[in-house]
Amino acid sequence: METTSRVDTDGAPGMVTAEEVPAARPRTVDGYLEADFPWYGLDDAFTGPRWLMQVGTAADGTVQHGSTGHGDEPSVKTDGSTAEKERFAAVITVAASPVRRSGDGTGVLDATTVSSAAWLAGSGLLAYTWPPQMDHTLRDDWLDQQTETAFTLADDLGSAPWSTLSLPVDGVPVEFHYRESEFGWVLAGSAHEGVHIGAYGRGMSAYGLGFSVIKDIATYE
């Protein structure tokens, strides 16, 4: 997940940038340092590896969201055994914004909401998923279909398969929307610093997680 993604305004609830299929990823903190909002990650209770993922920007280059990884760096699973061995959680920070004009004045950017974080988390999990029975040539079609499903689910957080889960954010309990699938889990909620938090993972239970502001994003390089 190495390339900086673009935010568009067609298709997703407040964001339209899906997490890309992972590849060789340069570890650079530059994009994260350009954000005008705080980044979130797992709190100090997590003592495993931490690493950078990707930053998403608007057409004018403004940083809109980004992801940080925790645990094992996952690879796209190509057989049933790979996913069982992976233990990771990715945390997505999304700047909370109202409907607004783009920086270059050429259009309007949708508001970012908890649904934005839920969709980015759902599509991010899919980027690391490859059903073992699927032929390589069919994965793109499958990914398109599943990403559309993730968008539909993110647009209706009050219904099944979503449930609620209370987790600490900077030490304060916050209610998250949470769902599980055969590929892993996804959750989304709002922090107290003008951002929404999304997360997804596999092999690591979401029930024991906590989130906090990252004091020094460079420690994730």
Side-chain angles (χ1 to χ4, degrees):
M1 302 174 64
E2 78 288 1
T3 55
T4 300
S5 50
R6 288 292 215 209
V7 173
D8 196 326
T9 54
D10 298 321
M15 315 287 280
V16 298
T17 302
E19 300 290 301
E20 296 183 8
V21 174
R25 176 179 52 80
R27 299 171 183 269
T28 174
V29 75
D30 294 351
Y32 294 84
L33 296 176
E34 295 175 1
D36 60 1
F37 55 88
W39 295 105
Y40 273 80
L42 297 186
D43 61 20
D44 290 342
F46 175 77
T47 58
R50 298 170 183 257
W51 30 278
L52 298 177
M53 298 181 75
Q54 75 170 18
V55 168
T57 64
D60 62 359
T62 303
V63 176
Q64 300 290 300
H65 63 87
S67 309
T68 55
H70 308 76
D72 303 326
E73 293 198 44
S75 56
V76 176
K77 70 175 186 178
T78 56
D79 59 65
S81 63
T82 306
E84 294 176 1
K85 297 176 182 178
E86 292 176 349
R87 298 184 68 255
F88 75 94
V91 179
I92 301 170
T93 307
V94 182
S97 303
V99 175
R100 63 216 183 278
R101 294 200 65 79
S102 60
D104 58 11
T106 59
V108 175
L109 300 177
D110 292 342
T112 56
T113 65
V114 175
S115 288
S116 308
W119 180 75
L120 285 169
S123 58
L125 180 62
L126 290 171
Y128 291 109
T129 301
W130 193 333
Q133 72 278 10
M134 183 174 293
D135 183 272
H136 175 86
T137 58
L138 298 178
R139 184 175 186 271
D140 287 346
D141 289 341
W142 175 87
L143 188 59
D144 288 344
Q145 293 171 356
Q146 293 298 316
T147 300
E148 179 63 27
T149 299
F151 165 71
T152 301
L153 290 173
D155 210 27
D156 188 10
L157 297 175
S159 302
W162 296 99
S163 60
T164 56
L165 177 62
S166 180
L167 296 173
V169 177
D170 295 322
V172 179
V174 169
E175 187 174 275
F176 284 85
H177 301 277
Y178 173 78
R179 67 177 175 87
E180 295 181 353
S181 74
E182 62 183 300
F183 312 121
W185 51 263
V186 172
L187 60 79
S190 294
H192 317 287
E193 300 293 334
V195 301
H196 305 295
I197 294 175
Y200 60 91
R202 202 161 50 218
M204 185 186 298
S205 174
Y207 286 84
L209 300 183
F211 305 96
S212 62
V213 169
I214 299 172
K215 296 178 181 178
D216 182 5
I217 190 65
T219 61
Y220 276 72
E221 280 195 288

